[in-house]
Amino acid sequence: MPDAADAGGGGDARAPLAVCLLTDRRYAKTVKTLLEERGRFGRKIEAWAGGGGGGVDGDDDVGGGGGDGDVVGSERGDGDGGGVSVSKLLIHTTLKAVHPDGDSDSTRHDDTQLALKTSLVGPTLHDHVKVIYLPTPTAGTTTSPPPPASPLHAAILSFLARHPPTSSSSSALPLPKRWTIYPPLLLLPANTPLTTDPSWKTYLHSTLPPNLLDEFYAAIVRSVGCTHLAVNAPIPPSSSSAEENIMRKPANITPLYRHSCPETPETPDFNDLWVSSTQNGIHQTWKPLYTMFSRGNVVEKMRIRGRMEAGISTDTTTATTTTTTSSTSTSPPTFFPGRSKIRDNIILDLYAGIGYFVFPYTTHSPRLVLGWEINPHSVEGLVRAAPLNSVDAVVVPEGESISKHLFEKADNSLDTRRKNKHLLDTKIVIFNESNETAIHRIREFREAFPEFFEAAAKTSLTQQPSSAPRISHINLGLLPTSRPTWALACEIIATPGLGAGADEGGWVHVHENVDVGPGVAEMGRVIVGEFEKVLEEMRERRRESGAEKEEGGGKNVVLVAECVNVFVVKTYAPGVVHCVFDVWVHPRVV
């Protein structure tokens, strides 16, 4: 990894320097495309700040199988990478320049930087790139071979120097191009050469004495500060008993090594291993042998939090953000419609998992988040991560009463007023059971704790009276399809007095895997069609009871569904994208 001239590199300040752009990895594809369009791409992208060893490869969900074509590196990120190996990437351009550090006019230097960035990537992205100058070799000079790009490569090369391969065919063993760190786990992708390349197989399992294999693995994990080593694998569609793998367990991950010695007797076995990740300020914890984790979902977390930048798509080739708002409706916000309606309302997540989207919702101060999850390991991971995200989570086991667990959490020695105050401080309630119980559980919750569904009291004379909380957003985050819960979610969001659909309008965020191209728009039409069937059935029931006429006040008001936005999260597999369809259920006078 070369040193940047403006980051302490030496050399003649007047010698020609290579112009590079430093950017966060989530913008790298867009920057690369813009440079290509301008004929300025230098055909090289590398990890920054010691994070070398990067390569163009696919996404590596823990237990997943899709690839999103991201450029990823091979080192620990800066905290927001969430297990992504590198958070910053250096993109080379074809430009050469004289370094401007000698210019005493800092304003002129800033203006030059801004003009250069704008000319290369345009006004939308210039705030997200930094110009870096690198020395270029001059005629007649020789350069020494670059050092290993990462500590992991250095550890492998050092081990090979001590225990060299014996056959000439193994003399050029390919080094791993990518890996991911989820402390304390070092996770290799399914196609890592250490387990797939014939030369490595011969070296590790024939040439190398068996007693040195663990020493090799130990050197690798120690080099990156980990204790466990495993190889990833796609999530199987069915379990070992041929039943559908509805919990999406990553059953085929292969543990290779666990570092254990007298000095660290507490090192857990793989079955008891918990790992962690932080993505965009959201902390998550999970058991890699029992729960999947997809780092590619970070852009949807950002979208919920409001951190997606306008005009920047997640994939410049296939993943574009499109808005398909009906001309007859008021256009909701572009990136995460209805975000302003999260505050003081109630959010449902029918596939809560380890809290992928539960925690981003809590950053907008909802009255409550109710979630359903059948995997007990995922539920425990969510609960472990809750305090790291500054929220409180309560678990209600299958078949048990809500009151029992919330009041136990509040401590039965408290008086009613203090107990209710504690309950209102609770942000997350997770039901460790099938989401088929959702309507029953919501009614039970409302009867037991009506204060959650009541308007907040005014705290000042100038404060506007608040409306009663409603279920404003329902998240359906299951892949490859969330179709089994479309009708359920539509019914909940459209129920008067419960869902916001019957008032100002409510949102259902439907996650689906869709074929690239016309399949995306077609899926939107299919979802809306299914929602409209449910709404028509509800209208028919209300007509039979006379309720619709009474509530309409003489006006013909009906609830309708519209797919107002389609957001592409990532490429799931070749030709298949993970999309979120933002469906708006709202009243309309007809």
Side-chain angles (χ1 to χ4, degrees):
M1 171 65 63
D3 290 328
D6 67 347
D12 181 3
R14 293 296 174 183
L17 300 170
V19 177
C20 304
L21 297 180
L22 182 66
T23 187
D24 190 281
R25 66 178 302 278
R26 67 181 181 270
Y27 304 126
K29 289 181 191 174
T30 304
V31 171
K32 173 178 175 288
T33 299
L34 292 171
L35 290 175
E36 288 175 332
E37 291 174 351
R38 291 162 170 79
R40 293 299 188 185
F41 179 50
R43 304 189 64 79
K44 185 177 181 182
I45 300 176
E46 56 186 324
W48 177 250
V56 179
D57 211 329
D59 195 3
D60 61 349
D61 299 354
V62 178
D68 61 4
D70 279 349
V71 182
V72 296
S74 52
E75 290 294 328
R76 190 192 309 269
D78 64 359
D80 263 3
V84 176
S85 309
V86 185
S87 63
K88 301 291 185 184
L89 294 173
L90 192 68
I91 303 178
H92 290 244
T93 76
T94 59
L95 293 179
K96 299 292 186 290
V98 174
H99 196 289
D101 280 352
D103 193 340
S104 61
D105 188 341
S106 61
T107 302
R108 187 187 310 166
H109 173 60
D110 291 343
D111 289 344
T112 302
Q113 291 271 306
L114 180 60
L116 180 58
K117 291 188 294 184
T118 302
S119 69
L120 290 172
V121 298
T124 302
L125 269 178
H126 67 68
D127 286 338
H128 302 288
V129 297
K130 177 182 178 182
V131 177
I132 298 292
Y133 299 91
L134 296 181
T136 56
T138 57
T141 62
T142 59
T143 58
S144 58
S150 72
L152 189 144
H153 285 173
I156 292 176
L157 294 174
S158 175
F159 186 90
L160 292 176
R162 299 193 308 272
H163 308 285
T166 56
S167 64
S168 58
S169 61
S170 299
S171 60
L173 295 168
L175 295 177
K177 292 182 178 180
R178 61 195 303 267
W179 55 89
T180 310
I181 295 172
Y182 298 114
L185 173 66
L186 170 61
L187 186 67
L188 302 173
N191 62 351
T192 180
L194 296 185
T195 58
T196 60
D197 184 83
S199 298
W200 270 111
K201 289 182 178 180
T202 299
Y203 174 70
L204 292 176
H205 303 292
S206 297
T207 305
L208 194 68
N211 63 310
L212 292 179
L213 183 60
D214 276 356
E215 182 180 327
F216 173 72
Y217 290 148
I220 292 176
V221 297
R222 284 200 303 266
S223 71
V224 292
C226 290
T227 57
H228 293 68
L229 176 66
V231 177
N232 205 357
I235 295 175
S238 60
S239 64
S240 57
S241 61
E243 296 179 353
E244 184 182 0
N245 185 14
I246 58 175
M247 290 191 189
R248 303 275 291 159
K249 288 185 177 180
N252 292 335
I253 284 183
T254 303
L256 292 181
Y257 177 76
R258 175 177 69 94
H259 180 66
S260 181
C261 62
E263 291 78 17
T264 57
E266 70 282 0
T267 304
D269 182 81
F270 267 95
N271 286 323
D272 298 318
L273 177 65
W274 288 92
V275 302
S276 62
S277 172
T278 302
Q279 286 187 310
N280 204 247
I282 299 296
H283 303 275
Q284 294 185 301
T285 302
W286 71 99
K287 263 185 169 180
L289 293 193
Y290 297 95
T291 306
M292 69 158 289
F293 177 79
S294 174
R295 64 178 175 82
N297 288 338
V298 64
V299 292
E300 177 64 0
K301 299 175 190 177
M302 292 168 60
R303 192 172 78 110
I304 295 172
R305 294 195 68 187
R307 295 190 176 186
M308 285 299 295
E309 301 295 334
I312 300 172
S313 67
T314 59
D315 187 325
T316 57
T317 55
T318 59
T320 57
T321 302
T322 59
T323 302
T324 56
T325 306
S326 168
S327 60
T328 60
S329 66
T330 301
S331 177
T334 303
F335 282 98
F336 193 76
R339 187 187 298 116
S340 63
K341 300 300 182 183
I342 297 175
R343 185 177 184 87
D344 293 329
N345 275 313
I346 298 167
I347 311 300
L348 302 190
D349 192 332
L350 297 185
Y351 302 98
I354 59 173
Y356 280 125
F357 309 116
V358 167
F359 293 130
Y361 276 110
T362 63
T363 63
H364 296 292
S365 301
R367 176 66 63 91
L368 179 69
V369 179
L370 299 177
W372 281 261
E373 175 54 49
I374 58 176
N375 187 336
H377 300 287
S378 296
V379 172
E380 184 178 353
L382 189 153
V383 172
R384 284 173 175 244
L388 301 177
N389 292 288
S390 303
V391 291
D392 189 20
V394 175
V395 177
V396 180
E398 183 176 7
E400 298 190 13
S401 74
I402 299 172
S403 301
K404 172 185 176 183
H405 291 277
L406 281 180
F407 278 131
E408 280 183 353
K409 188 77 176 179
D411 185 345
N412 282 322
S413 65
L414 299 178
D415 60 38
T416 301
R417 180 184 59 80
R418 293 173 61 200
K419 192 175 290 185
N420 286 344
K421 172 64 169 63
H422 177 90
L423 293 175
L424 291 175
D425 286 340
T426 298
K427 287 296 182 187
I428 303 170
V429 177
I430 297 296
F431 299 97
N432 189 189
E433 62 192 19
S434 170
N435 52 35
E436 295 171 331
T437 68
I439 291 179
H440 166 73
R441 285 299 201 177
I442 294 168
R443 289 171 178 165
E444 178 190 357
F445 196 98
R446 187 174 186 176
E447 291 173 2
F449 305 105
E451 55 268 41
F452 278 101
F453 293 82
E454 295 173 354
K458 292 178 62 175
T459 58
S460 70
L461 293 176
T462 58
Q463 180 182 342
Q464 294 295 320
S466 63
S467 58
R470 293 288 183 263
I471 297 169
S472 63
H473 294 261
I474 302 179
N475 197 74
L476 308 182
L478 180 68
L479 296 179
T481 180
S482 62
R483 189 164 190 157
T485 51
W486 291 1
L488 174 64
C490 182
E491 182 174 354
I492 293 172
I493 205 75
T495 298
L498 194 63
D503 299 318
E504 298 177 337
W507 299 91
V508 180
H509 306 283
V510 182
H511 293 240
E512 293 290 324
N513 279 351
V514 189
D515 291 338
V516 174
V520 175
E522 177 60 26
M523 178 59 74
R525 288 190 288 269
V526 170
I527 294 171
V528 169
E530 292 297 316
F531 274 50
E532 287 290 355
K533 289 179 183 178
V534 174
L535 295 174
E536 178 56 36
E537 291 172 0
M538 295 179 70
R539 284 194 290 268
E540 184 60 32
R541 292 198 298 267
R542 298 182 70 77
R543 276 194 293 266
E544 293 175 355
S545 67
E548 186 170 89
K549 183 177 180 180
E550 294 173 9
E551 292 182 3
K555 296 180 181 180
N556 192 7
V557 178
V558 299
L559 294 185
V560 296
E562 297 180 68
C563 181
V564 301
N565 194 64
V566 182
F567 181 74
V568 181
V569 178
K570 64 179 184 291
T571 300
Y572 185 86
V576 178
V577 287
H578 167 191
C579 296
V580 181
F581 296 83
D582 299 319
V583 181
W584 191 29
V585 177
H586 63 99
R588 176 185 293 170
V589 178
V590 296

